[in-house]
């Protein structure tokens, strides 16, 4: 058996090289962290749930014209992806106020936003992934103004598609985080993952602020039943 070269190990995934320099393998781990890794744990089956959910969502988005790094799901915990140079940005889209938006603005949890809010964060653990302004994006040369506009437009289109998709699963898409990268031909591709680790997802069948949570907030805030929430998202997503 050939030993694969590990290129990078993050908090929730490992990236391996393949014989083709343009193709990598992402392995989804059960490890979970929150609050910039101050809280650590493991969610049994999370790797498999997130790999299946992400694969399905990337396929759906690709079918709607979104260029993504996804090639194929190759095992329970693994997907083949195109090699990209990841932009050091976390692009967050919010439909409903939750999380850091509530903490930083005082908006009550659950407030419907009049239009989707797109935010850029600096992907830098040492700095705690700070919120960026347009001027800071330019100052740090993280993206040109044209690239920022392109990212914003892609993020909004992805939000439109995912909102409709999750609604078919009786799930409300509250907010989510995206990452993008450039492939060897300088094409901008949606990358990383889309899963209950990176989205806030509320069960439409419940109004209870704790019961409705089907995402990593269950782990972040010790709400219990974390595995069953992830499993429920996978089962619903795979049916659509
Ligand atoms: P926030 O409210 O904590 O800023 O999170 C906004 C969205 O981004 C939420 O869906 C969770 C996701 N997210 C990540 O995927 N990774 C992170 O490191 C953080 C802080 C949030």
């Amino acid at each position: 058996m050939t030993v694969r070269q590990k290129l990078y190990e993050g908090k929730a995934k490992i990236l391996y090289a393949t014989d083709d320099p343009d193709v990598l393998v992402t392995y989804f781990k059960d490890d979970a962290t929150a609050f910039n890794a101050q809280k650590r744990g493991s969610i049994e089956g999370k790797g498999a749930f997130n790999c299946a959910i992400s694969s399905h969502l990337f396929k759906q988005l690709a079918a709607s014209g979104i260029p993504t790094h996804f090639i194929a799901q190759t095992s329970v915990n693994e997907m083949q992806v195109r090699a990209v140079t990841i932009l050091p940005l976390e692009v967050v889209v919010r439909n409903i106020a939750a999380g850091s938006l509530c903490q930083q603005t005082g908006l009550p949890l659950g407030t419907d936003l009049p239009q989707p809010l797109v935010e850029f964060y600096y992907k830098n653990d040492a700095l705690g992934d700070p919120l960026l302004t347009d001027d800071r994006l330019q100052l740090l040369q993280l993206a040109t103004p044209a690239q920022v506009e392109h990212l914003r437009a892609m993020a909004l289109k992805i939000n439109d598609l995912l909102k409709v998709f999750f609604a078919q699963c009786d799930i409300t898409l509250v907010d989510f985080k995206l990452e993008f990268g450039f492939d060897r031909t300088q094409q901008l591709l949606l990358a990383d993952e889309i899963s209950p680790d990176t989205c806030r997802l509320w069960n439409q069948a419940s109004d209870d602020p704790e019961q409705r949570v089907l995402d990593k907030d269950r782990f972040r805030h010790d709400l219990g039943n974390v595995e069953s929430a992830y499993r429920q998202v996978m089962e619903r997503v795979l049916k659509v």
Side-chain angles (χ1 to χ4, degrees), residues 121-139:
Y121 292 81
Y122 190 13
K123 191 172 147 66
N124 184 320
D125 284 341
L127 298 176
D129 297 343
L131 178 65
L132 292 164
T133 62
D134 278 350
D135 286 355
R136 286 187 185 188
L137 276 159
Q138 302 319 316
L139 173 73

Side-chain angles (χ1 to χ4, degrees), residues 3 38 52 77-78 83 92 112 147 165 183 186 216 238:
V3 178
Q38 290 179 69
N77 283 70
E78 292 180 337
V92 169
D112 278 319
Q147 284 170 345
F165 180 87
D183 70 6
Q186 293 306 307
K216 199 163 123 184
L238 293 186

Side-chain angles (χ1 to χ4, degrees), residues 18 48 125 236:
T18 70
D125 284 341
R236 292 194 198 186

